[in-house]
């Protein structure tokens, strides 16, 4: 899952990014309304956290333009105001929920999970393949029912591969999804090999075989069933 944070206060933006990354989400940041639209045109996001007061184009403007562009990512609006008019305006413009500043980390994460759960539906949040199950909302991975501790990158790699189950995923698209802004083609290859190796070790079944298969020269695939 990839989340876009649109917030012009660097300190708050950094804090939100850290909090969400700890929950194993992939996170990009935009610091004004125009940058937000560039990002949204570039990549599909599972959620947008959108401040109202922004330079260049405010949150309402971003919502309006995003809608015109056909972006259908769910939106959590942030407002510094207690003005109910703003909240109503936000929800009327297509935001899914709003949060008034200041808010606690727990409150933010609860809202994020609620929106993602509503968006995906209760059952769709659980991905399964070959004894591995991954809950995209609670951010937990299990192998044969037992919880596995994964790092943020490992979780994102597994989530992306399972989301694309039975389809080959290229190394490039995997890197782009998992590393986003930190994507550096030259150093990426080794990093990815190490993460995949560690991930395979953690999720290998009792037969010692991993569900993640390498497709030489292309990338990886997770296949379900007997194949
Ligand atoms: Ca602001």
């Amino acid at each position: 899952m990839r989340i876009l944070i649109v917030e012009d206060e660097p300190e708050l933006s950094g804090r939100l990014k850290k909090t969400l990354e700890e929950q194993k989400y992939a996170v990009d940041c935009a610091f004004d309304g125009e940058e937000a639209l560039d990002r949204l045109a570039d990549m599909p996001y599972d959620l947008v956290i959108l401040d109202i007061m922004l330079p260049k184009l405010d949150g309402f403007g971003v919502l309006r333009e995003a809608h015109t562009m056909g972006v259908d990512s769910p939106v959590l609006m942030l407002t510094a105001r207690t003005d109910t008019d703003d909240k109503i305006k936000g929800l009327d413009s297509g935001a899914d929920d709003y949060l008034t500043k200041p808010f606690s980390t727990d409150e933010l994460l609860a809202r994020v999970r609620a929106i993602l759960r509503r968006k995906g539906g209760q059952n769709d949040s659980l991905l399964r393949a070959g004894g591995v199950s991954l809950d995209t909302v609670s951010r937990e991975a299990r192998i044969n029912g037992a919880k596995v501790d994964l790092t943020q990158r490992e979780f994102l790699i597994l989530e992306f591969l399972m989301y694309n189950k039975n389809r080959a995923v290229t190394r490039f698209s995997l890197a782009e999804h998992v590393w986003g802004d930190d994507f550096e083609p030259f150093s990426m290859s080794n990093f990815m090999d190490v993460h995949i190796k560690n991930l395979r070790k953690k999720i290998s079944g009792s037969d010692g075989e991993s569900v993640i298969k390498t497709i030489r020269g292309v990338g990886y695939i997770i296949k379900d069933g007997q194949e």
Side-chain angles (χ1 to χ4, degrees), residues 6-9 12 51-55 78 80 101:
V6 190
E7 167 61 66
D8 57 316
E9 295 161 46
L12 177 58
D51 190 28
I52 291 180
M53 300 288 278
L54 291 167
L78 302 182
K101 295 179 193 174

PDB file of all heavy atoms in Angstrom, residues 6-9 12 51-55 78 80 101, ligand 1:
ATOM      1  N   VAL A   6       0.095  15.026   1.702  1.00  0.00           N
ATOM      2  CA  VAL A   6       0.181  16.379   1.157  1.00  0.00           C
ATOM      3  C   VAL A   6       0.072  17.342   2.325  1.00  0.00           C
ATOM      4  O   VAL A   6      -1.016  17.564   2.864  1.00  0.00           O
ATOM      5  CB  VAL A   6      -0.939  16.648   0.132  1.00  0.00           C
ATOM      6  CG1 VAL A   6      -0.671  17.964  -0.581  1.00  0.00           C
ATOM      7  CG2 VAL A   6      -1.067  15.503  -0.864  1.00  0.00           C
ATOM      8  N   GLU A   7       1.204  17.868   2.743  1.00  0.00           N
ATOM      9  CA  GLU A   7       1.282  18.708   3.949  1.00  0.00           C
ATOM     10  C   GLU A   7       2.505  19.600   3.812  1.00  0.00           C
ATOM     11  O   GLU A   7       3.591  19.107   3.539  1.00  0.00           O
ATOM     12  CB  GLU A   7       1.385  17.780   5.180  1.00  0.00           C
ATOM     13  CG  GLU A   7       1.785  18.472   6.467  1.00  0.00           C
ATOM     14  CD  GLU A   7       0.779  19.542   6.889  1.00  0.00           C
ATOM     15  OE1 GLU A   7      -0.355  19.176   7.210  1.00  0.00           O
ATOM     16  OE2 GLU A   7       1.153  20.725   6.863  1.00  0.00           O
ATOM     17  N   ASP A   8       2.289  20.931   3.978  1.00  0.00           N
ATOM     18  CA  ASP A   8       3.396  21.855   3.748  1.00  0.00           C
ATOM     19  C   ASP A   8       4.268  22.086   4.975  1.00  0.00           C
ATOM     20  O   ASP A   8       5.338  22.671   4.865  1.00  0.00           O
ATOM     21  CB  ASP A   8       2.875  23.196   3.209  1.00  0.00           C
ATOM     22  CG  ASP A   8       1.866  23.833   4.147  1.00  0.00           C
ATOM     23  OD1 ASP A   8       0.989  23.098   4.648  1.00  0.00           O
ATOM     24  OD2 ASP A   8       1.952  25.044   4.383  1.00  0.00           O
ATOM     25  N   GLU A   9       3.823  21.660   6.155  1.00  0.00           N
ATOM     26  CA  GLU A   9       4.668  21.818   7.340  1.00  0.00           C
ATOM     27  C   GLU A   9       5.633  20.634   7.410  1.00  0.00           C
ATOM     28  O   GLU A   9       5.201  19.512   7.651  1.00  0.00           O
ATOM     29  CB  GLU A   9       3.819  21.862   8.616  1.00  0.00           C
ATOM     30  CG  GLU A   9       2.906  23.058   8.702  1.00  0.00           C
ATOM     31  CD  GLU A   9       1.763  22.855   9.700  1.00  0.00           C
ATOM     32  OE1 GLU A   9       2.036  22.386  10.805  1.00  0.00           O
ATOM     33  OE2 GLU A   9       0.618  23.122   9.327  1.00  0.00           O
ATOM     34  N   LEU A  12       5.527  18.225  10.562  1.00  0.00           N
ATOM     35  CA  LEU A  12       4.355  17.347  10.637  1.00  0.00           C
ATOM     36  C   LEU A  12       4.430  16.282   9.545  1.00  0.00           C
ATOM     37  O   LEU A  12       4.165  15.099   9.781  1.00  0.00           O
ATOM     38  CB  LEU A  12       3.059  18.162  10.505  1.00  0.00           C
ATOM     39  CG  LEU A  12       1.756  17.353  10.491  1.00  0.00           C
ATOM     40  CD1 LEU A  12       1.614  16.511  11.764  1.00  0.00           C
ATOM     41  CD2 LEU A  12       0.547  18.275  10.342  1.00  0.00           C
ATOM     42  N   ASP A  51      -3.838  17.995   3.458  1.00  0.00           N
ATOM     43  CA  ASP A  51      -4.045  19.197   4.267  1.00  0.00           C
ATOM     44  C   ASP A  51      -4.882  20.190   3.459  1.00  0.00           C
ATOM     45  O   ASP A  51      -4.839  20.188   2.226  1.00  0.00           O
ATOM     46  CB  ASP A  51      -2.669  19.804   4.611  1.00  0.00           C
ATOM     47  CG  ASP A  51      -2.771  20.906   5.642  1.00  0.00           C
ATOM     48  OD1 ASP A  51      -3.715  20.873   6.458  1.00  0.00           O
ATOM     49  OD2 ASP A  51      -1.895  21.792   5.650  1.00  0.00           O
ATOM     50  N   ILE A  52      -5.664  21.037   4.149  1.00  0.00           N
ATOM     51  CA  ILE A  52      -6.477  22.017   3.418  1.00  0.00           C
ATOM     52  C   ILE A  52      -5.652  23.255   3.065  1.00  0.00           C
ATOM     53  O   ILE A  52      -5.612  23.703   1.922  1.00  0.00           O
ATOM     54  CB  ILE A  52      -7.732  22.421   4.227  1.00  0.00           C
ATOM     55  CG1 ILE A  52      -8.696  21.223   4.294  1.00  0.00           C
ATOM     56  CG2 ILE A  52      -8.428  23.618   3.570  1.00  0.00           C
ATOM     57  CD1 ILE A  52      -9.968  21.497   5.061  1.00  0.00           C
ATOM     58  N   MET A  53      -4.959  23.817   4.070  1.00  0.00           N
ATOM     59  CA  MET A  53      -4.187  25.039   3.831  1.00  0.00           C
ATOM     60  C   MET A  53      -2.842  24.676   3.223  1.00  0.00           C
ATOM     61  O   MET A  53      -1.950  24.205   3.930  1.00  0.00           O
ATOM     62  CB  MET A  53      -3.967  25.784   5.149  1.00  0.00           C
ATOM     63  CG  MET A  53      -5.263  26.204   5.835  1.00  0.00           C
ATOM     64  SD  MET A  53      -6.083  27.551   4.965  1.00  0.00           S
ATOM     65  CE  MET A  53      -5.151  28.938   5.604  1.00  0.00           C
ATOM     66  N   LEU A  54      -2.703  24.903   1.904  1.00  0.00           N
ATOM     67  CA  LEU A  54      -1.483  24.533   1.185  1.00  0.00           C
ATOM     68  C   LEU A  54      -1.055  25.662   0.271  1.00  0.00           C
ATOM     69  O   LEU A  54      -1.909  26.401  -0.233  1.00  0.00           O
ATOM     70  CB  LEU A  54      -1.743  23.309   0.302  1.00  0.00           C
ATOM     71  CG  LEU A  54      -1.992  21.956   0.953  1.00  0.00           C
ATOM     72  CD1 LEU A  54      -2.524  20.983  -0.092  1.00  0.00           C
ATOM     73  CD2 LEU A  54      -0.710  21.419   1.575  1.00  0.00           C
ATOM     74  N   PRO A  55       0.259  25.799  -0.008  1.00  0.00           N
ATOM     75  CA  PRO A  55       0.692  26.785  -0.997  1.00  0.00           C
ATOM     76  C   PRO A  55       0.262  26.377  -2.413  1.00  0.00           C
ATOM     77  O   PRO A  55       0.043  25.191  -2.668  1.00  0.00           O
ATOM     78  CB  PRO A  55       2.225  26.750  -0.897  1.00  0.00           C
ATOM     79  CG  PRO A  55       2.547  25.963   0.319  1.00  0.00           C
ATOM     80  CD  PRO A  55       1.372  25.084   0.604  1.00  0.00           C
ATOM     81  N   LEU A  78      -6.928  16.893   6.326  1.00  0.00           N
ATOM     82  CA  LEU A  78      -6.443  17.441   7.591  1.00  0.00           C
ATOM     83  C   LEU A  78      -6.856  18.892   7.657  1.00  0.00           C
ATOM     84  O   LEU A  78      -6.683  19.634   6.689  1.00  0.00           O
ATOM     85  CB  LEU A  78      -4.911  17.350   7.664  1.00  0.00           C
ATOM     86  CG  LEU A  78      -4.271  15.979   7.527  1.00  0.00           C
ATOM     87  CD1 LEU A  78      -2.754  16.111   7.677  1.00  0.00           C
ATOM     88  CD2 LEU A  78      -4.823  15.002   8.562  1.00  0.00           C
ATOM     89  N   ALA A  80      -6.731  22.481  10.191  1.00  0.00           N
ATOM     90  CA  ALA A  80      -6.286  23.141  11.411  1.00  0.00           C
ATOM     91  C   ALA A  80      -7.475  23.865  12.027  1.00  0.00           C
ATOM     92  O   ALA A  80      -7.451  24.259  13.168  1.00  0.00           O
ATOM     93  CB  ALA A  80      -5.176  24.128  11.104  1.00  0.00           C
ATOM     94  N   LYS A 101      -6.495  19.040  13.351  1.00  0.00           N
ATOM     95  CA  LYS A 101      -5.208  19.177  14.036  1.00  0.00           C
ATOM     96  C   LYS A 101      -5.414  19.883  15.382  1.00  0.00           C
ATOM     97  O   LYS A 101      -6.238  20.803  15.437  1.00  0.00           O
ATOM     98  CB  LYS A 101      -4.228  20.014  13.194  1.00  0.00           C
ATOM     99  CG  LYS A 101      -3.812  19.393  11.886  1.00  0.00           C
ATOM    100  CD  LYS A 101      -2.878  20.388  11.195  1.00  0.00           C
ATOM    101  CE  LYS A 101      -2.648  20.029   9.746  1.00  0.00           C
ATOM    102  NZ  LYS A 101      -1.867  21.062   9.039  1.00  0.00           N
TER     103      LYS A 101
HETATM  104 CA1  LIG B   1      -0.832  23.557   5.872  1.00  0.00          CA
END
